[in-house]
Amino acid sequence: MKNMSCKLIVSATLFFSFLALGPPAHAENSSQNEIIVVYKNKDGKETVLDSDAEVEQQYKHLPAVALKADQKTVKAFKQDPDILYVENNVTFTAADNTDLKILSEDADTSDNFEQWNLEPIQVKQAWEEGLTGKNVKIAVIDSGISPHDDLSIAGGFSAVSYTSSYKDDNGHGTHVAGIIGAKHNGYGIDGIAPEAQIYAVKALDQNGSGDLQGLLQGIDWSIANRMDIVNMSLGTTSDSQILHDAVDKAYEQGVLLVAASGNDGNGKPVNYPAAYSSVIAVSATNENNQLASFSTTGDEVEFSAPGTNITSTYLNQFYATGSGTSQATPHAAAMFALLKQRDPAETNVQLRASMQKNIVDLGTTGRDQQFGYGFIQYKAKATDSAYAAAEQAVKKAEKTKTQTDINKARELVSQLPNSDAKTALQKRLDKIQSYRNVKDAKDKVVKAEKYKTQQTVDTAQAAINKLPNGTDKKNLQKRLDQVKRYIASKQAKEKVAKAEKSKKKSDVDSAKSAVSKLPAGSEKTSLQKRLTKVKSTNLKTAQQSVAAAEKKSTNANATKAQSAVNQLQSGKDKTSLQKRLDKVKKKVAAAEAKKVETAKAKVKKAEKDKTKQAKTSAQSAVNQLQASNEKTKLQKRLPSNRKSNQKACKTCILSLTGFFTSLKTLGTTFFPFIAQAFPTIAIQP
């Protein structure tokens, strides 16, 4: 087929918008209003049917009747206790995002159109597993479905007043149907679930308009004909109680409902019926796996799917391209059909959970307002195997309750894609971990009670801190606090004893700190008294030492007194004694300075006189000095005087040596026996 850029005035996406509740514009010229009455019971239904109102539609599975009635009758219905409520049969119109763009006018073509949207959802993996949506019934509530060589239509129903045919005269429904189930016949496009049984439920007319009555008929028909899935690529910004009740009823009957979130843009409220909890809301993504600019977002969004530049079937054997959450929704509906074929026994609730395992998480981790749980993406059976393995590991952990098995199970669960199923497994693990944490804490408290060491107490405290607030934590903390008090008492006693023995300030301070941590009681009071006694003893010692230093102002006495004062606690007594001692230190320093001057003078005199008396006097003066640089300098000056003395001594020794040598010679000559008695005499200098 040749491509062409011709546009048709058709809907690309159908999101209908309720008009204000109330009679249509033409009601001004008529006394009849189109209404839908919802009754409580059989009496309520009979009241409606027996009234003068013109009945237009009775629903098989909904407790409602659509009819025309005047204002008086409407008022009577609203006041009847057997009737729940009355709603106007409001009209709605399509809120287009873009017009569908026809790609070819040639019906006999073998061309295959590019479909970028199939690759990111990994649907080919499902096809390889033989999944095609076979035996799954899908109702497309839309503008109908037009006959097309690339489509198989299993049947349908018309809910519009002007025709009993479900043939599409707008194009939107046919486009949606092709995305779901176009044949794999070698030309045109490939549908996601080509063997699904697609039913055309026509609730929109040739202009893309419809009413609430027709939509309710479509839902009622889907319940009656046991549809597995209902695709609603339409929406409204106005809430409707009867519509809400209708989708809830269908969901209760096992129907899986999928609807478009809306084309109002990010930040705008999700449209109805997608916003209802019983309906799966789908947002749209673009070719870059980003949120489509037109896509409505919100907490109700459950999944996202491709929704821009989607090629599908169209009227008169044509193909067309369009964008919108209307196009995203059938992607999700078709994927559900594949999952339903794979697990036929799964309910609509279970299928909803299964889809959460067939996604890739986009945007914020976990469920978010833009992509819901994530972008739909088929996962091979291996993923289910991974879930089964994780679940088995969790079961084992629940049985053994060992930390090793808990850690192994948590590792397997962490590898699963985000979903409610994963969350459920994590909650089960958290419960086991909670049990494990309590047991560990109990074991460690028992150990602390047995050994009563700081290490075992710290370990037990860390284990207790992990526990949530509750009875277990409270009771274990009480037991551990008793151990802490025992250790604190023991440490305080030991430190007080040490302070009593050493009387050092550091030991007193350490003991004081330990005692302060004890709870009020006789034990604490007793230890404080003992510390007070130590402090009193230290004060008395300091007072005596300072008095002795004042009496005899020597450096030794001042040093001793300072040491005693240093042991005192800060206070008036210590300050007073320090002031007195400082005066003594000044006196000692002055005396020392005087001694230094005297020693300098004597050393200088010794250097000058070089007499023994001067040297001895200088040495004595230096010896009396305190150790200091000055004393060292003066001491170094004294050895130079000693060298002169050594020289003189050496001369004297040499003279004595000569004398004894002469004496020996003389003795040898005259007294031989002397030489024998003194064979050698040598005096070393």
Side-chain angles (χ1 to χ4, degrees), residues 368-379:
D368 57 58
Q369 293 186 339
Q370 295 186 343
F371 306 99
Y373 289 109
F375 176 83
I376 63 167
Q377 188 177 85
Y378 182 79
K379 305 293 183 182

Side-chain angles (χ1 to χ4, degrees), residues 446-461:
V446 169
K447 190 173 181 180
E449 290 172 329
K450 180 178 180 180
Y451 295 105
K452 295 181 176 65
T453 64
Q454 192 60 49
Q455 182 179 0
T456 57
V457 167
D458 291 343
T459 302
Q461 187 62 68

Side-chain angles (χ1 to χ4, degrees), residues 546 550 565 572-586:
V546 170
E550 289 174 328
V565 171
K572 292 181 180 179
D573 290 329
K574 182 175 184 178
T575 301
S576 176
L577 289 174
Q578 188 63 57
K579 286 181 179 179
R580 289 167 58 188
L581 185 57
D582 288 343
K583 291 180 180 179
V584 174
K585 286 182 176 181
K586 288 181 180 179

Side-chain angles (χ1 to χ4, degrees), residues 667-679:
T668 302
T669 304
F670 296 100
F671 307 101
F673 65 90
I674 294 176
Q676 294 175 358
F678 304 98

Side-chain angles (χ1 to χ4, degrees), residues 340-637:
K340 179 67 175 176
Q341 180 189 355
R342 190 173 72 178
D343 298 295
E346 283 198 347
T347 65
N348 54 351
V349 176
Q350 292 170 327
L351 282 171
R352 206 166 178 175
S354 294
M355 183 65 89
Q356 294 176 30
K357 291 182 273 182
N358 288 270
I359 55 98
V360 57
D361 195 2
L362 300 180
T364 306
T365 301
R367 186 171 184 176
D368 57 58
Q369 293 186 339
Q370 295 186 343
F371 306 99
Y373 289 109
F375 176 83
I376 63 167
Q377 188 177 85
Y378 182 79
K379 305 293 183 182
K381 269 290 187 181
T383 301
D384 283 350
S385 298
Y387 177 81
E391 186 177 34
Q392 190 62 35
V394 171
K395 288 180 179 178
K396 184 178 180 182
E398 288 173 328
K399 183 177 180 180
T400 65
K401 294 182 174 63
T402 64
Q403 193 61 55
T404 300
D405 288 339
I406 293 172
N407 293 341
K408 183 178 180 181
R410 196 174 291 282
E411 176 64 24
L412 291 174
V413 172
S414 68
Q415 296 172 9
L416 299 176
N418 292 326
S419 65
D420 284 346
K422 178 180 180 179
T423 301
L425 290 179
Q426 288 173 328
K427 286 182 178 179
R428 288 167 64 183
L429 278 177
D430 290 342
K431 187 176 180 180
I432 307 168
Q433 187 66 65
S434 178
Y435 168 86
R436 179 75 254 174
N437 289 345
V438 171
K439 188 176 186 305
D440 286 346
K442 286 180 179 178
D443 292 343
K444 288 172 182 176
V445 168
V446 169
K447 190 173 181 180
E449 290 172 329
K450 180 178 180 180
Y451 295 105
K452 295 181 176 65
T453 64
Q454 192 60 49
Q455 182 179 0
T456 57
V457 167
D458 291 343
T459 302
Q461 187 62 68
I464 290 174
N465 291 343
K466 293 179 181 179
L467 302 181
N469 293 330
T471 303
D472 288 327
K473 184 174 185 178
K474 185 177 181 180
N475 291 338
L476 289 175
Q477 190 63 60
K478 284 182 178 179
R479 289 169 57 183
L480 188 61
D481 287 344
Q482 290 180 347
V483 179
K484 288 181 176 180
R485 283 193 290 271
Y486 171 84
I487 294 175
S489 174
K490 183 181 178 182
Q491 290 178 341
K493 289 177 181 177
E494 291 173 349
K495 290 184 177 182
V496 168
K498 185 177 181 181
E500 289 174 328
K501 184 177 181 180
S502 69
K503 296 181 176 60
K504 292 182 179 179
K505 182 178 181 297
S506 58
D507 291 337
V508 172
D509 289 342
S510 179
K512 182 181 178 182
S513 176
V515 172
S516 68
K517 296 176 182 178
L518 298 179
S522 58
E523 183 179 54
K524 183 174 185 178
T525 301
S526 175
L527 292 174
Q528 286 174 329
K529 286 181 179 179
R530 288 168 61 183
L531 275 180
T532 300
K533 188 175 180 180
V534 174
K535 295 176 185 178
S536 178
T537 300
N538 286 350
L539 177 60
K540 186 176 180 180
T541 300
Q543 289 172 336
Q544 291 174 345
S545 297
V546 170
E550 289 174 328
K551 184 175 182 180
K552 188 175 182 181
S553 302
T554 65
N555 186 63
N557 285 346
T559 301
K560 182 179 179 180
Q562 185 63 67
S563 178
V565 171
N566 289 344
Q567 300 306 314
L568 300 179
Q569 300 292 322
S570 298
K572 292 181 180 179
D573 290 329
K574 182 175 184 178
T575 301
S576 176
L577 289 174
Q578 188 63 57
K579 286 181 179 179
R580 289 167 58 188
L581 185 57
D582 288 343
K583 291 180 180 179
V584 174
K585 286 182 176 181
K586 288 181 180 179
K587 188 175 180 181
V588 170
E592 182 65 20
K594 187 174 181 180
K595 287 181 181 180
V596 170
E597 292 303 319
T598 300
K600 285 182 179 179
K602 290 187 176 184
V603 169
K604 185 175 182 180
K605 188 173 186 307
E607 288 174 330
K608 181 178 180 182
D609 295 349
K610 296 183 176 57
T611 63
K612 181 178 180 181
Q613 183 178 359
K615 295 168 189 175
T616 301
S617 177
Q619 185 62 63
S620 177
V622 170
N623 290 343
Q624 293 178 28
L625 299 179
Q626 297 178 28
S628 64
N629 290 335
E630 194 65 44
K631 181 177 181 178
T632 302
K633 290 179 182 178
L634 292 175
Q635 188 64 58
K636 286 182 179 180
R637 288 167 61 183

Side-chain angles (χ1 to χ4, degrees), residues 103-116:
L103 298 180
S104 175
E105 295 179 334
D106 186 1
D108 297 323
T109 177
S110 59
D111 288 349
N112 291 314
F113 295 102
E114 283 192 25
Q115 293 178 270
W116 72 267

Side-chain angles (χ1 to χ4, degrees), residues 96 140 195 199-200 312 337 368 456 460 470 510 546 563 621 641 656:
D96 300 332
V140 178
E195 291 190 292
Y199 292 82
S312 185
D368 57 58
T456 57
S510 179
V546 170
S563 178
N641 295 328
L656 287 173

